[in-house]
Amino acid sequence: DAGVTQSPTHLIKTRGQHVTLRCSPISGHKSVSWYQQVLGQGPQFIFQYYEKEERGRGNFPDRFSARQFPNYSSELNVNALLLGDSALYLCASSLGRQWLGETQYFGPGTRLLVL
Amino acid sequence: SQQGEEDPQALSIQEGENATMNCSYKTSINNLQWYRQNSGRGLVHLILIRSNEREKHSGRLRVTLDTSKKSSSLLITASRAADTASYFCATDGWETSGSRLTFGEGTQLTVNP
């Protein structure tokens, strides 16, 4: 079975632009979470979606938004990009049958550079 | 903010030696997980230990959890050059909804051949 896939792998944007990152979960997984990992730090939780509904949101500004589609794939959108948004964006999927204690499977990430 | 703190931040050992990494956290947890990350790529899940467990093994990995001290350790035995990576602990707790994981800063392990 294919693992979690993310696209694109790399992206370069300039300040003020908008970006859309995409994630396809493992087949059968209904929950998708997004994390931001700045160089040299651990990942930070941004959003979790389950059955197309937002189930959790981290401490990120409203410039960050996401959605989940009927096929459980997900998009992360970031508006008005800042230099500080440069990071590796990770998507993780899980079955979503247990709210706590599930293994989350991560994709390879999208590396975003904002100039 | 980061929930966990890994110790040490960096560890360099020779192939065949054991590597021990520690993680401390601040709030009550439901589970603690360890992940590996190679060169800024995606995270690979290593092991999950529940709050009512004290020790867990998986191949060359051994994880312990001490909820009274809010700490965990990851032991990699007979290390190999391929174990070179960053290792992160991640927790989830009853206070947070869904499957939100809170990660530490990570330990960079270098295994020299």
Side-chain angles (χ1 to χ4, degrees):
Chain A
D1 282 342
V4 178
T5 59
Q6 291 186 243
S7 63
T9 55
H10 295 81
L11 203 51
I12 300 175
K13 292 284 188 178
T14 56
R15 281 177 296 175
Q17 284 189 313
H18 161 92
V19 69
T20 298
L21 310 180
R22 296 177 175 83
C23 170
S24 292
I26 292 171
S27 177
H29 285 193
K30 297 182 178 181
S31 175
V32 170
S33 299
W34 287 94
Y35 292 80
Q36 180 196 65
Q37 186 179 22
V38 174
L39 193 63
Q41 297 183 15
Q44 296 254 24
F45 172 79
I46 309 175
F47 286 110
Q48 190 216 357
Y49 276 77
Y50 174 72
E51 289 280 17
K52 301 182 291 294
E53 290 190 4
E54 182 181 305
R55 290 295 185 176
R57 184 185 181 113
N59 188 25
F60 281 81
D62 291 343
R63 299 184 297 107
F64 289 77
S65 64
R67 55 180 175 168
Q68 186 177 33
F69 299 99
N71 66 354
Y72 303 110
S73 66
S74 177
E75 282 183 355
L76 175 69
N77 295 284
V78 186
N79 292 324
L81 285 167
L82 303 175
L83 296 180
D85 295 330
S86 295
L88 180 67
Y89 288 85
L90 296 162
C91 172
S93 79
S94 62
L95 288 167
R97 285 197 291 232
Q98 286 181 311
W99 291 117
L100 297 171
E102 279 197 314
T103 295
Q104 292 197 41
Y105 296 90
F106 283 81
T110 293
R111 187 162 297 282
L112 172 65
L113 176 61
V114 182
L115 301 175
Chain B
S1 62
Q2 299 291 337
Q3 154 86 309
E5 294 181 1
E6 278 93 342
D7 170 50
Q9 288 187 329
L11 180 62
S12 182
I13 60 174
Q14 296 299 122
E15 229 174 4
E17 294 181 337
N18 295 341
T20 300
M21 287 160 271
N22 302 296
C23 166
S24 61
Y25 55 91
K26 299 173 183 174
T27 60
S28 297
I29 65 168
N30 190 48
N31 304 279
L32 185 142
Q33 305 184 48
W34 284 90
Y35 286 85
R36 184 186 75 222
Q37 185 176 40
N38 291 81
S39 302
R41 298 175 190 168
L43 296 163
V44 175
H45 182 261
L46 296 176
I47 200 163
L48 179 152
I49 186 166
R50 303 193 186 282
S51 59
N52 61 353
E53 296 176 312
R54 292 296 167 258
E55 189 170 312
K56 207 161 182 180
H57 296 255
S58 177
R60 294 185 295 113
L61 307 180
R62 172 178 167 252
V63 168
T64 61
L65 179 64
D66 187 336
T67 53
S68 67
K69 295 181 179 178
K70 292 186 168 60
S71 67
S72 173
S73 68
L74 170 67
L75 168 67
I76 304 174
T77 60
S79 63
R80 306 165 182 168
D83 294 329
T84 294
S86 292
Y87 291 82
F88 294 91
C89 69
T91 58
D92 65 68
W94 296 109
E95 310 86 48
T96 58
S97 62
S99 298
R100 176 189 309 210
L101 292 177
T102 303
F103 285 83
E105 298 283 345
T107 292
Q108 173 61 50
L109 172 66
T110 301
V111 181
N112 301 298

